[in-house]
């Protein structure tokens, strides 16, 4: 007999038909069998229903119609509560695994004083069969593999940050009357010479299946791309990790692409200025017909000569809120994801076509060519602007449940003064969250899954409010005069700090010279040898020249080192650099 028997008819499940048949029997004194035959229902079911109907008049519960499996643990209302709880946890990025769901079901049943099977009590969790049937009864649930999302992104993507950005974006649209072809999104992404191999057909049951890659750890090349809201793309620029750039680096690349180089292969201020000149040559903006570029708050984008160049050539720069590009940036939403998958496929094909050879950084432009053409299609670009609410402009593009992760930390939302006691936590704002919206059935029931296992809540408001250190970013119009003056002031202070650091380093170098007198009375000057020295991948300062007490952190994925002050990391226990975060999106 099958584990789940499918009904072949709907007899006895219609409550209205059952009520009407019962009224005939009670009011008109007709026999139960004749009425059951007339209404095409089972006479035994009708007899039970009439008995329950009479008991209800004496103070009993209202009768229910239909069949209920005798082995069912929870009723439909309780399973609905459990299903809604699981959806809310997943929206908060604290979803439960199948094992956690089974343990929660056991604890929920014990709290409700429901009789459970013996093996539930022995294992202190529900059975696998119950979990499979629970998913079948609730088709809106499924087992999904979540995407890794940093804590900074969960904290900063909240209604206040989004509304602040949308207000500034709306003001720029109204001020300059921008149209779709004048609105651009600009971003960088990292490409390595080592691909993630795709799935292959192999022997079933074999434990290890391999695929050839160029090396254990690849070399990074940065690509900068700009697209507009009508679906057009500017030819990209490649940044190679070389001191001197040669024209053959971009041989076979996308038509019109340009290249440059620096020691790290990352985007820096000088290279970003070169891309803006490349952008200006293709778009041809003027002071009368300006264009708008939406970009993130990367340090290279705040380079003062770039801002001056944009102001002189009619380019308006508007930055996204920090750690919100995974939702607000069109390139991250619909272009770079397909682009990375297509790159892996192209590199797999290249490795199969060139057995025994390694992919070098000079082969990447030709490999990228087909991938970029198929990924940066007008359809993908336009969809990216649509889902992020940028064009057509829609400040309500994000559903309520997309802000649920920010409720967990309940961070303060006053960016002007984080130490202000009047700062408003997210949970006290007027914006409703998916967690706060509960069904009416749950309001009348005292015991719910939330009482058994409360929703996650972090108590870090006071710590984060008093935390100093790096200045928090926000959405700004970089080409406006107040913001430009503030950036110039910060650049001046940074230059002074670097000069003081270089001076202290030179003094320290002189003190490190140690004079040792040997037995033959010869004087030897010993200097501390530089062993495996590392450099910060943002400011390129060597570890040996760093200031005493200066903190360094290492990316958990690419293993490169960074100054803690140079990064945007709020929590460094599990630090992932911007380039590796872009690779995961």
């Amino acid at each position: 007999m099958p584990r789940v028997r499918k009904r072949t008819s709907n007899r006895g499940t219609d409550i209205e038909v059952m009520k009407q048949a019962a009224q005939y029997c009670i009011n008109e004194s007709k026999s139960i069998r004749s009425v059951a035959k007339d209404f095409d229902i089972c006479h035994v079911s009708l007899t039970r229903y009439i008995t329950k109907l009479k008991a209800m008049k004496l103070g009993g519960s209202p009768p229910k119609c239909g069949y209920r499996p005798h082995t069912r643990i929870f009723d439909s209302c309780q399973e609905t509560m459990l299903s809604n709880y699981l959806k809310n946890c997943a929206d908060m990025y604290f979803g439960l695994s199948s094992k956690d769901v089974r343990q929660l079901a056991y604890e929920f049943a014990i709290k409700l004083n429901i009789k459970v099977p013996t093996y539930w009590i022995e294992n202190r969790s529900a059975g696998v069969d119950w979990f499979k049937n629970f998913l079948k009864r609730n088709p809106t649930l499924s087992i999904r593999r979540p995407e890794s999302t940093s804590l900074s992104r969960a904290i900063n993507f909240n209604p206040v940050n989004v509304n602040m950005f949308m207000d500034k974006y709306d003001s720029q649209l109204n001020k300059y009357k921008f149209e779709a072809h004048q609105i651009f999104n600009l971003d960088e992404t990292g490409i390595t010479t080592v691909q993630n191999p795709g799935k292959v057909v192999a022997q079933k049951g074999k434990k290890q299946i391999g695929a050839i890659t160029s090396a254990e750890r690849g070399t990074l090349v940065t690509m900068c791309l700009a697209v507009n809201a009508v679906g057009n793309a500017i030819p990209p620029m490649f940044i190679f990790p070389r001191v001197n750039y040669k024209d053959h680096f971009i041989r076979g690349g996308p038509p019109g692409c340009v290249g440059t180089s620096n020691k790290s292969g990352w985007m820096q201020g000088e290279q970003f200025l070169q891309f803006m000149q490349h952008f200006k040559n293709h778009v041809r903006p003027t002071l009368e017909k300006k264009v708008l570029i939406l970009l993130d708050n990367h340090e290279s984008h705040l380079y003062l000569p770039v801002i001056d160049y944009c102001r002189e050539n009619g380019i308006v720069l508007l930055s996204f809120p920090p750690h919100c590009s995974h939702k607000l940036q069109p390139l991250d939403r619909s272009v770079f994801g397909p682009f990375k998958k297509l790159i892996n496929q192209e590199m797999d094909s290249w490795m199969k076509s060139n057995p025994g050879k390694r992919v070098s950084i000079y082969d990447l432009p030709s490999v990228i060519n087909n991938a970029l053409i198929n990924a940066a299609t007008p359809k993908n670009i336009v969809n990216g602007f649509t889902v992020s609410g940028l064009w057509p402009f829609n400040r309500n593009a994000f559903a309520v449940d997309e802000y649920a992760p920010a409720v967990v930390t309940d961070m303060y939302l006053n960016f002007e003064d984080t130490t202000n006691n009047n700062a408003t936590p997210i949970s006290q704002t007027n914006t409703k969250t998916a967690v706060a919206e509960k069904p009416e059935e749950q309001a009348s029931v005292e015991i719910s899954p939330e009482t058994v296992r409360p929703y996650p809540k972090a108590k870090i408001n006071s710590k984060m409010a008093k935390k100093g250190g790096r200045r928090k970013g926000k959405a700004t119009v970089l080409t406006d005069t107040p913001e430009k003056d503030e950036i110039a002031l910060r650049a001046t202070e940074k230059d002074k700090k670097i000069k003081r650091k270089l001076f202290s380093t030179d003094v320290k170098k002189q003190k490190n010279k140690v004079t040792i007198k040997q037995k033959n009375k010869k004087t030897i000057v010993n200097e501390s040898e530089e062993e495996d020295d590392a450099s910060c991948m943002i400011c390129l300062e060597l570890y040996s020249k760093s200031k005493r007490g200066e903190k360094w952190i290492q990316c958990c994925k690419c293993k490169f080192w960074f100054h803690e002050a140079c990064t945007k990391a709020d929590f460094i226990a599990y630090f992932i650099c911007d380039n590796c975060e872009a690779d995961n999106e």
Side-chain angles (χ1 to χ4, degrees):
M1 186 173 179
R3 189 178 294 272
V4 180
R5 179 180 177 275
K6 294 184 180 180
R7 289 182 55 85
T8 58
S9 68
N10 293 324
R11 291 183 63 193
T13 59
D14 192 345
I15 185 66
E16 297 297 332
V17 173
M18 194 67 74
K19 282 182 180 180
Q20 190 176 1
Q23 293 299 329
Y24 270 100
C25 294
I26 295 173
N27 298 334
E28 299 185 11
S29 301
K30 291 187 176 181
S31 66
I32 293 177
R33 285 182 176 272
S34 62
V35 173
K37 186 176 180 180
D38 294 339
F39 283 88
D40 192 23
I41 56 179
C42 178
H43 67 280
V44 179
S45 299
L46 182 58
T47 303
R48 292 197 189 106
Y49 185 83
I50 292 173
T51 303
K52 292 178 182 179
L53 193 63
K54 292 179 179 179
M56 184 193 70
K57 295 179 179 179
L58 299 176
S61 59
K64 294 182 180 180
C65 182
Y67 297 91
R68 182 182 182 276
H70 67 282
T71 57
R72 181 76 60 83
I73 305 298
F74 303 109
D75 58 26
S76 59
C77 178
Q78 293 164 348
E79 286 204 347
T80 301
M81 294 166 58
L82 190 59
S83 174
N84 291 336
Y85 175 83
L86 296 177
K87 293 176 185 177
N88 288 338
C89 287
D91 290 338
M92 298 166 70
Y93 295 174
F94 282 86
L96 276 64
S97 64
S98 58
K99 184 178 180 181
D100 294 334
V101 174
R102 289 162 54 197
Q103 292 176 352
L104 175 63
Y106 166 75
E107 296 171 1
F108 188 36
I110 296 299
K111 198 78 172 178
L112 292 171
N113 295 324
I114 297 177
K115 184 179 178 180
V116 297
T118 306
Y119 67 90
W120 280 36
I121 301 175
E122 294 174 353
N123 300 327
R124 301 187 66 82
S125 67
V128 177
D129 291 340
W130 174 87
F131 180 68
K132 291 180 179 179
N133 293 328
F134 173 72
L135 292 180
K136 290 180 180 179
R137 292 190 296 270
N138 296 271
T140 56
L141 298 177
S142 63
I143 300 176
R144 305 284 299 276
R145 181 177 295 278
E147 296 181 7
S148 57
T149 305
S150 66
L151 185 59
S152 299
R153 292 184 183 272
I155 291 173
N156 287 278
F157 185 74
N158 53 61
V160 175
N161 271 350
V162 173
N163 289 334
M164 184 185 301
F165 167 75
M166 290 296 183
D167 290 340
K168 293 191 176 183
Y169 177 61
D170 189 21
S171 66
Q172 297 301 309
L173 292 181
N174 294 330
K175 181 178 181 180
Y176 297 108
K177 306 299 181 183
F178 288 122
E179 298 180 2
H181 67 279
Q182 298 171 307
I183 301 173
F184 288 83
N185 175 219
L186 181 151
D187 194 23
E188 302 89 8
T189 185
I191 306 161
T192 64
T193 55
V194 174
Q195 81 278 17
N196 294 323
K199 294 182 178 181
V200 297
V201 180
Q203 180 181 347
K204 187 175 182 180
K206 194 171 183 179
K207 290 186 177 179
Q208 289 187 345
I209 304 295
I212 296 296
T213 58
S214 296
E216 297 289 337
R217 176 177 163 185
T219 306
L220 175 76
V221 174
T222 301
M223 185 190 76
C224 184
L225 182 67
V227 296
N228 66 1
V230 296
N232 298 328
I234 303 298
M237 184 179 78
F238 298 97
I239 306 171
F240 295 88
R242 293 292 181 268
V243 176
N244 298 315
Y245 170 75
K246 305 295 182 182
D247 289 338
H248 70 268
F249 289 3
I250 58 173
R251 183 180 301 160
C257 68
V258 294
T260 184
S261 64
N262 57 39
K263 289 184 179 180
S264 65
W266 287 41
M267 176 64 81
Q268 296 180 8
E270 294 81 1
Q271 286 72 41
F272 188 59
L273 178 59
Q274 294 179 28
F275 180 80
M276 294 309 300
Q277 294 169 351
H278 169 68
F279 175 86
K280 189 245 180 186
N281 292 335
H282 283 81
V283 179
R284 302 290 183 183
T286 62
L287 295 176
E288 292 75 22
K289 293 184 178 181
K290 296 185 177 183
V291 297
L292 174 66
I293 296 182
L294 306 171
L295 70 175
D296 56 31
N297 277 302
H298 192 265
E299 187 176 4
S300 62
H301 301 164
L302 307 180
Y303 190 50
L304 195 59
V306 171
I307 297 175
D308 291 334
Y309 181 82
C310 293
R311 287 165 61 95
E312 294 170 0
N313 292 277
I315 301 174
V316 180
L317 301 179
L318 174 61
S319 66
F320 293 111
H323 307 292
C324 294
S325 60
H326 64 297
K327 292 286 188 180
L328 289 173
Q329 187 150 246
L331 283 171
D332 286 341
R333 294 298 300 269
S334 62
V335 177
F336 284 159
F339 177 62
K340 292 298 178 67
K341 292 180 180 178
L342 290 170
I343 284 179
N344 290 329
Q345 295 176 8
E346 292 292 334
M347 293 184 72
D348 281 338
S349 301
W350 193 95
M351 294 295 296
K352 293 171 183 175
S353 302
N354 300 273
K357 294 184 179 180
R358 292 181 173 87
V359 179
S360 68
I361 59 174
Y362 312 118
D363 298 318
L364 286 180
S366 59
V367 173
I368 288 170
N369 191 5
N370 291 332
L372 185 62
I373 292 174
N374 294 324
T377 61
K379 181 179 180 181
N380 286 352
I381 296 172
V382 171
N383 287 341
F385 277 88
T386 302
V387 296
S388 55
L390 298 178
W391 193 270
F393 177 64
N394 180 16
R395 66 170 60 247
N396 299 318
F398 302 105
V400 176
D401 57 352
E402 296 188 65
Y403 299 120
V407 182
V408 177
T409 53
D410 201 17
M411 296 296 295
Y412 285 96
L413 302 178
N414 191 339
F415 289 94
E416 300 299 330
D417 185 8
T418 55
T419 60
N420 187 4
N421 295 328
N422 297 324
T424 307
I426 298 174
S427 60
Q428 297 179 9
T429 56
N430 293 329
T431 305
K432 296 182 179 179
T433 62
V435 178
E437 294 181 351
K438 300 180 181 178
E440 296 180 357
E441 299 174 349
Q442 297 185 25
S444 61
V445 180
E446 295 181 358
I447 299 175
S448 66
E450 186 179 356
T451 60
V452 177
R453 182 176 297 189
Y455 290 113
K457 195 71 173 178
K459 299 180 180 180
I460 57 176
N461 293 338
S462 58
K463 294 181 181 179
M464 297 306 299
K466 297 177 182 178
K467 182 180 177 182
R470 192 172 181 274
R471 180 180 175 273
K472 302 293 182 183
K474 59 181 180 179
T476 55
V477 183
L478 301 178
T479 48
D480 280 357
T481 301
E483 281 76 9
K484 187 247 182 185
D485 293 341
E486 185 179 354
I487 293 172
L489 180 62
R490 292 206 303 267
T492 304
E493 293 176 353
K494 186 176 179 180
D495 291 339
K496 291 180 180 179
K497 186 177 180 181
I498 292 174
K499 290 179 181 178
R500 289 196 299 268
K501 187 182 294 186
L502 292 175
F503 177 76
S504 62
T505 303
D506 293 339
V507 173
K508 184 179 178 182
K509 208 174 195 181
Q510 295 296 328
K511 291 182 178 179
N512 284 340
K513 292 183 179 181
V514 180
T515 304
I516 303 174
K517 203 168 186 179
Q518 300 291 348
K519 291 181 181 180
N520 56 4
K521 297 182 180 180
K522 290 183 179 180
T523 303
I524 300 175
V525 177
N526 229 1
E527 294 187 7
S528 56
E529 295 182 355
E530 293 185 1
E531 297 180 352
D532 295 336
D533 207 353
S535 62
C536 174
M537 299 305 295
I538 296 179
C539 68
L540 301 180
E541 183 187 21
L542 294 175
Y543 176 75
S544 59
K545 296 183 180 180
S546 62
K547 190 176 180 181
R548 180 178 295 178
E550 195 169 25
K551 294 183 179 180
W552 288 65
I553 56 177
Q554 188 182 34
C555 176
C556 295
K557 289 197 174 182
C558 66
K559 304 302 181 184
F560 285 124
W561 287 91
F562 302 81
H563 284 114
E564 182 181 344
C566 292
T567 64
K568 300 180 180 180
D570 295 328
F571 302 91
I572 62 173
Y574 184 73
F575 169 67
I576 298 178
C577 64
D578 293 341
N579 183 66
C580 293
E581 276 195 358
D583 289 343
N584 292 334
E585 293 173 352

